[in-house]
Amino acid sequence: MNNLLIEWLGDRVKILDQTRLPQEEAYLELTGYQAIASAITEMRIRGAPAIGILGAYGIALGALKIEAESRDEFLARLREINHTLASTRPTARNLFRAIDRMQRVAEAGRNIEQIKESLINQAIKIHGEEAEATRKLSQFGAELIEDGFTILTHCNTGALATAGYGTALGVIKQAKEQGKNIKVLATETRPLLQGARLTTWELKKTDIPFTLITDSMAGYFMSRGEVDCIIVGADRIAANGDTANKIGTYSLAVLAMENGIPFYIAAPTTTVDLSLASGNEIPIEQRNPEEVTNIQGLSITPEGTQAANPAFDVTPHHYITAIITERGIIKEPYIERLKGIC
Ligand code: MRU
């Protein structure tokens, strides 16, 4: 499934539409960068690494279709494409890192044809590197999982979120592959139910036993001693280790500390943003309140109900036991150790 989640087809990109899961495995073929930008905004592809990969293919596809008289005109049009893709989802660092990389490659190119070719190659490279990073970080992270552990995870952080092996879910899958007898508690992840719809869909394809819980049940299971560790992914990690991840992560981290449970972040270094001193500077995406007042298209509130919908929250670094990356596992002081590996 990994390669099929996002597939470059030469003049279009094929994606598995995650909004239709788990009911349907429906694929879309996107033929222009605007369609790719919409697919990211609408969360047909979501998860920080996967957004970065699709963004890079979006630039390659957009570039391929530019008809320009000069290199300068081409680069100006490319900047517009980059701007459109950068305006889709603000929090995941991987998207902006991919856009910067693609822009640098374009500026280094000699002529239009050569730039187009190097942008395609660069997008394929970004895809390969992101996938490989999740494979490696999963191997490091699996060392933290002991036989018999019950692991609580939030949102979806597997192949669907990474177009690779997975971050938090990758660690869990790797621990199972090492023969450890483990169980998973997966939170449903309101409002868009990435846990209920996507993590369960991925876990069903493995032989890892799992139980779905609502987000508000997490404290109950922690207080009863039924959680051995928590592993989640990240959308952006500031220089001091403060981490933005799916809304609800902060509450889990505070509850974990209260109950003496290790709380791990698993993320490739492409998610780290050393330009931001702390989590206060991380832009938090505010999504349409209808995602809260409706569940899968069905209204659950009286008409006119006001709702808030921040898509992410920030967990201060002192709640984080360790950050698992493809370059190793790091602990406090994050400010020095992140600088050392990024
Ligand atoms: O809004 P989403 O579904 O894109 O949010 C995804 C998450 O918060 C993940 O935990 C994060 O991107 C890391 S996934 C490898």
Side-chain angles (χ1 to χ4, degrees):
M1 194 257 294
N2 295 0
N3 295 330
L4 297 180
L5 178 70
I6 302 176
E7 205 181 350
W8 173 254
L9 295 178
D11 60 351
R12 60 201 194 283
V13 180
K14 187 172 165 187
I15 61 163
L16 174 58
D17 182 354
Q18 298 189 29
T19 62
R20 311 266 290 272
L21 289 172
Q23 285 82 5
E24 248 186 306
E25 282 182 41
Y27 289 86
L28 292 173
E29 292 197 0
L30 309 172
T31 54
Y33 76 90
Q34 293 97 335
I36 289 191
S38 302
I40 295 174
T41 306
E42 292 159 10
M43 293 175 64
R44 298 186 188 283
I45 290 288
R46 28 68 48 202
I51 293 171
I53 293 163
L54 188 58
Y57 283 129
I59 295 169
L61 191 56
L64 199 60
K65 303 202 171 175
I66 295 175
E67 285 172 20
E69 301 286 316
S70 67
R71 182 179 174 279
D72 281 353
E73 187 195 339
F74 176 87
L75 289 177
R77 301 263 301 277
L78 191 73
R79 276 193 289 275
E80 287 165 22
I81 293 172
N82 290 355
H83 178 74
T84 302
L85 287 157
S87 310
T88 52
R89 299 196 69 195
T91 305
R93 172 66 180 152
N94 309 54
L95 174 64
F96 299 94
R97 197 180 273 260
I99 293 173
D100 286 351
R101 255 177 88 165
M102 296 293 279
Q103 182 65 35
R104 277 199 303 276
V105 162
E107 279 162 15
R110 287 186 307 279
N111 59 57
I112 296 174
E113 280 322 301
Q114 191 244 318
I115 297 174
K116 287 183 178 178
E117 199 186 316
S118 18
L119 284 173
I120 294 169
N121 292 337
Q122 189 67 13
I124 293 168
K125 192 160 177 247
I126 288 171
H127 190 168
E129 285 175 10
E130 285 280 40
E132 179 58 19
T134 65
R135 170 63 75 177
K136 278 203 187 122
L137 74 84
S138 298
Q139 281 160 358
F140 282 121
E143 299 307 319
L144 299 167
I145 311 295
E146 290 175 27
D147 192 42
F149 263 22
T150 296
I151 304 143
L152 188 145
T153 192
H154 188 50
C155 198
N156 169 266
T157 60
L160 290 172
T162 60
Y165 190 67
T167 57
L169 207 54
V171 171
I172 291 166
K173 287 191 297 184
Q174 183 63 33
K176 182 69 183 178
E177 276 175 33
Q178 289 175 351
K180 291 170 189 162
N181 186 18
I182 54 171
K183 285 189 277 194
V184 172
L185 280 180
T187 57
E188 66 174 349
T189 318
R190 279 278 287 146
L192 293 180
L193 306 172
Q194 290 93 328
R197 296 187 301 107
L198 307 176
T199 298
T200 54
W201 185 80
E202 286 201 42
L203 282 170
K204 269 196 82 173
K205 294 182 186 292
T206 70
D207 54 356
I208 303 170
F210 64 92
T211 304
L212 178 68
I213 60 172
T214 67
D215 301 344
S216 49
M217 292 174 190
Y220 169 86
F221 287 102
M222 287 191 230
S223 68
R224 290 164 57 96
E226 293 183 34
V227 177
D228 296 296
C229 73
I230 298 178
I231 314 180
V232 297
D235 281 78
R236 201 184 287 231
I237 301 173
N240 69 347
D242 292 354
T243 295
N245 189 51
K246 180 50 55 195
I247 192 77
T249 301
Y250 169 49
S251 320
L252 292 174
V254 175
L255 277 166
M257 185 165 276
E258 171 68 18
N259 289 282
I261 297 166
F263 182 87
Y264 301 119
I265 298 288
T269 51
T270 42
T271 304
V272 178
D273 186 350
L274 293 180
S275 76
L276 304 184
S278 80
N280 294 334
E281 296 172 39
I282 299 177
I284 299 295
E285 177 182 11
Q286 305 290 327
R287 292 187 62 85
N288 190 336
E290 278 185 12
E291 292 177 349
V292 176
T293 55
N294 290 261
I295 295 185
Q296 306 226 276
L298 186 73
S299 170
I300 55 162
T301 56
E303 218 183 309
T305 297
Q306 301 289 312
N309 192 10
F312 303 95
D313 57 25
V314 174
T315 299
H317 61 91
H318 60 267
Y319 288 108
I320 299 168
T321 312
I323 300 177
I324 303 158
T325 78
E326 77 279 18
R327 299 189 184 142
I329 298 172
I330 57 164
K331 295 190 172 182
E332 294 272 23
Y334 293 115
I335 196 136
E336 284 163 28
R337 300 205 167 140
L338 283 172
K339 218 181 280 170
I341 61 163
C342 293

